[in-house]
Amino acid sequence: MLVPFSGRCVPRLLPCSSHLCLVAVFTLGAIAQAAPPSSFLSYVKDNNLTMTDFAPPPYASHLSGAPDQRRRNHLDDFLSPLPQAPAILTPDNDTPSYYVRRHSWGLLTSPLISPSRDECAGSRGDLISVAAFGGDPTGVADSTAAFAMAMGAALKRWDGSYLAEGIKNLGGAVISLGGGRYSVSAPVVIPRGYGNLHMRDGTIKASDTFPHDCYVVAAGSDGCTGDDEDLVNFNEHLSFSNLMLDGSNVAYGVLWLHHTIGAVVGTNLFLGFQQRGVYIRLGHEVVVESTWMGQYLFSDERKQTSQTATAIYISANDHVVSNVVIFSALVGVVDKGAGNTFVGLHSWNGSGTSFISTGYNTRILGCYPDFNDVILENPYHVTVTNSFFLGGAQIVLRANRDEKTARRPPVIRGLIIRTNTFDFSDESIIQLHGEFDSVSDTFIGGNIVSNNMTAVSTSSTRQLHLTNATEWEFDLSDELLFATIQRVQYSLELDDGQPLVRHASRPARGNRVVVETDVPVSGTVTIAVDQSRLTKGGLSA
């Protein structure tokens, strides 16, 4: 593999099959100006240059003390011309290119897959190494100051361009932990007003002296305060990947995104948060995906008795949580926003609740509440579909009449609960907590339940055949969820030879429906009932 190299940029060391290869491509402009293109090899030999001469300090420490090192490192033994270099590797076709390729033979004591390139600090998208600013990748010494300096270097990448109004474009700057473990005694802060910035590849762990009311990493706030209700987005296009954020069971939380638009939090492990794991406050279009989260490790005895935290707390609109596993928390997710989507969320906290939603226009799709309930408070335009509820996990519809805490009146409108699977329990699939004033545009049905569970719905169809009768009575209380029926439809099919009769249904009393005829007759009555009132433009169940 060939890697372009210009100016004082660092050549990359990459793995090659089962050995390590040293590979670099140099443009002649990278060498001393006194060396003409035609005499590059002779220039190297005449000056007795070695690989150590071309390697910056982060590489030099990895050059071994092998016997006859000068001979082994001599570029005459490594270099050969590359007559037809690919165009992609030669920006200037008039500039000859050379490559270095040789199996290491123990030349490197350890591989560097993604080393620091601080010599190229002015280039767009280059890595900014925390270790290069004095951070301790072993986690012994405190690295709080190193993160602040690395962040300062990232902010200097601004070239005068903007993303959203007032948000400075940092051009894809990457703060790399390089696989290290770093201890911090204060939050790692991304200041307001910056975007196109990324943090990745390592561990940030709260020290024993970390403040109990702060988050390990915070964007748009100082990590401890910052509850500013201004609806301006503070940061844009951030990403946090391949990170382990550990609050050490000391920190309040591990990641706070305050007024952020367009962030991705993916392929991470978040541990040791005491109150909130990820806090999304305001902003738009944050995606949390492919992440494991736990207040305690699943082998920790405190997991069953001492959980206090909410793993994901969203007080904002239009965000996505996808393929996230929450293995320890008192509450998996609290959703207080609008238009948020949850896909493939698996919550097996061991105790507590999988999901609490007081928001609206919420979609819970293909999720896995594992022995933990889903609580929907005064649900408005909420969909729960294609999900798997195991071990007594239920959907709780909770009516809240408290004027101080309820966002809406205690009504159910636009609720869809269908095609879910409920298993390994002997309870009802849905519980009602409190009384709702009305139910409209709602459909609950089409769910699959185990033999011991009670399947409830908002609609039902029944048939009853009687002979020489004037009254067909139906009691649907064993199937319907709510206490009253909103609509009744029925048909009467008379047996052969029966006379035409007058018939009608009486108003439903609770979940009882009666159909009567004026004279005795033999026939079959079929009824279809629904507990949801249809509004104009509403969904027909």
Side-chain angles (χ1 to χ4, degrees), residues 244-260:
M244 176 176 170
L245 301 183
D246 186 355
S248 303
N249 301 119
V250 173
Y252 189 92
V254 295
L255 179 61
W256 179 359
L257 300 180
H258 189 57
H259 279 292
T260 299

Side-chain angles (χ1 to χ4, degrees), residues 413-458:
R413 181 173 181 183
L415 174 64
I416 299 175
I417 302 175
R418 65 186 305 172
T419 60
N420 301 288
T421 299
F422 296 80
D423 199 5
F424 200 60
S425 174
D426 56 2
E427 302 180 32
S428 172
I429 65 173
I430 298 177
Q431 285 188 10
L432 291 176
H433 287 184
E435 294 185 2
F436 292 93
D437 293 340
S438 65
V439 178
S440 61
D441 300 334
T442 293
F443 175 76
I444 300 173
N447 298 295
I448 300 171
V449 302
S450 62
N451 292 336
N452 318 357
M453 298 190 73
T454 303
V456 292
S457 64
T458 56

Side-chain angles (χ1 to χ4, degrees), residues 139 142 144 181-188 203-212 214-217 244-254 271-273:
D142 185 85
T144 304
R181 301 177 178 90
Y182 295 90
S183 175
V184 295
S185 57
V188 176
T203 297
I204 307 177
K205 181 180 175 68
S207 69
D208 293 340
T209 60
F210 193 91
H212 293 266
C214 297
Y215 290 76
V216 176
V217 177
M244 176 176 170
L245 301 183
D246 186 355
S248 303
N249 301 119
V250 173
Y252 189 92
V254 295
L271 293 172
F273 41 87

Side-chain angles (χ1 to χ4, degrees), residues 365-442:
L365 313 174
C367 293
Y368 184 1
D370 193 344
F371 283 76
N372 295 282
D373 293 341
V374 170
I375 299 175
L376 307 177
E377 183 178 291
N378 299 354
Y380 179 89
H381 291 183
V382 176
T383 298
V384 183
T385 185
N386 296 327
S387 294
F388 177 43
F389 294 76
L390 181 65
Q394 299 172 292
I395 297 176
V396 177
L397 304 180
R398 184 166 67 190
N400 183 2
R401 296 180 176 275
D402 187 337
E403 295 182 357
K404 295 181 179 179
T405 61
R407 301 185 62 181
R408 294 175 302 280
V411 301
I412 297 175
R413 181 173 181 183
L415 174 64
I416 299 175
I417 302 175
R418 65 186 305 172
T419 60
N420 301 288
T421 299
F422 296 80
D423 199 5
F424 200 60
S425 174
D426 56 2
E427 302 180 32
S428 172
I429 65 173
I430 298 177
Q431 285 188 10
L432 291 176
H433 287 184
E435 294 185 2
F436 292 93
D437 293 340
S438 65
V439 178
S440 61
D441 300 334
T442 293

Side-chain angles (χ1 to χ4, degrees), residues 155 158 161-170 189-197 219-221 232-238 258-261:
L155 302 186
W158 182 50
S161 63
Y162 288 87
L163 298 172
E165 183 178 357
I167 298 179
K168 298 176 181 179
N169 181 7
L170 298 181
V189 174
I190 300 175
R192 298 181 181 184
Y194 292 91
N196 204 359
L197 173 67
S221 80
V232 175
N233 290 307
F234 295 150
N235 299 94
E236 181 179 5
H237 188 35
L238 307 178
H258 189 57
H259 279 292
T260 299
I261 182 170

Side-chain angles (χ1 to χ4, degrees), residues 224-245:
C224 304
T225 57
D227 282 344
D228 188 344
E229 292 296 340
D230 185 0
L231 294 180
V232 175
N233 290 307
F234 295 150
N235 299 94
E236 181 179 5
H237 188 35
L238 307 178
S239 73
F240 305 84
S241 60
N242 301 323
L243 292 172
M244 176 176 170
L245 301 183

Side-chain angles (χ1 to χ4, degrees), residues 325-374:
V325 176
I326 300 171
F327 57 85
S328 173
L330 182 63
V331 179
V333 175
V334 169
D335 172 28
K336 291 191 172 183
N340 296 317
T341 301
F342 303 87
V343 182
L345 173 70
H346 181 189
S347 175
W348 53 288
N349 330 10
S351 65
T353 302
S354 175
F355 196 97
I356 299 176
S357 174
T358 62
Y360 55 97
N361 294 328
T362 303
R363 288 148 291 174
I364 303 172
L365 313 174
C367 293
Y368 184 1
D370 193 344
F371 283 76
N372 295 282
D373 293 341
V374 170

